[in-house]
Amino acid sequence: MVVKYNLFGIKKIMTDKIDIPYDIYESPNEVVIVMPLWWVKKESLELKIQDYRLVIHWLREKITLRDDFIPLKEDCYWWEINLLIDLPPQSYFDRIHSKLTSDSILQVVVPKAIVPDQIDLEIEYNG
């Protein structure tokens, strides 16, 4: 939990649960996660799998202003963030790939195993 005070002395409590916007799209073959990551320190961005969930870790860089500025409102999450996203159980975890575009959009592609409707059965006969 992070506690901050604004110019007027109003206490603002930030909990560990932050609502970070992202989109998830699904097709029969894959899941795609799209997330804007503006002001992210690119060297801090890490992705890993933990307990069948995608963990995205990053640090947001705070812009530097003159010393005489006092924040009136700060909602841009200027600290380290760990975001956990549940992935489908049929994911190919070793085939996940991601990229951070030039306009700071993170794209994560999670291939899925295709579950057949039917399994062919071969029957052997003696004789």
Side-chain angles (χ1 to χ4, degrees):
M1 175 175 13
V2 176
V3 177
K4 293 185 176 186
Y5 294 89
N6 69 10
L7 177 66
F8 307 107
I10 297 172
K11 184 174 171 181
K12 183 174 188 179
I13 299 175
M14 309 297 240
T15 63
D16 293 336
K17 191 151 185 145
I18 301 168
D19 189 20
I20 303 293
Y22 61 90
D23 298 331
I24 299 180
Y25 303 94
E26 185 176 25
S27 76
N29 300 326
E30 61 193 2
V31 171
V32 176
I33 301 164
V34 180
M35 178 184 311
L37 290 178
W38 305 295
W39 305 309
V40 167
K41 187 173 183 178
K42 293 178 180 20
E43 308 83 49
S44 73
L45 186 59
E46 295 178 354
L47 287 83
K48 63 183 177 180
I49 300 297
Q50 183 177 0
D51 298 324
Y52 302 101
R53 294 188 291 184
L54 175 65
V55 179
I56 305 172
H57 172 85
W58 70 89
L59 175 65
R60 286 199 92 172
E61 291 185 298
K62 190 171 188 175
I63 59 171
T64 305
L65 300 172
R66 291 190 329 251
D67 291 340
D68 61 340
F69 279 101
I70 298 171
L72 298 178
K73 180 176 188 291
E74 286 186 314
D75 287 336
C76 290
Y77 320 120
W78 303 115
W79 57 80
E80 289 187 33
I81 296 175
N82 282 308
L83 178 66
L84 287 86
I85 300 174
D86 291 324
L87 296 176
Q90 71 272 30
S91 297
Y92 280 124
F93 296 102
D94 60 337
R95 296 184 190 171
I96 295 173
H97 60 279
S98 62
K99 74 174 179 179
L100 185 63
T101 66
S102 60
D103 55 345
S104 296
I105 304 296
L106 177 64
Q107 299 172 353
V108 181
V109 178
V110 182
K112 295 186 336 188
I114 298 173
V115 180
D117 294 330
Q118 180 178 333
I119 298 174
D120 293 334
L121 174 64
E122 180 180 327
I123 300 175
E124 291 184 357
Y125 294 98
N126 291 335

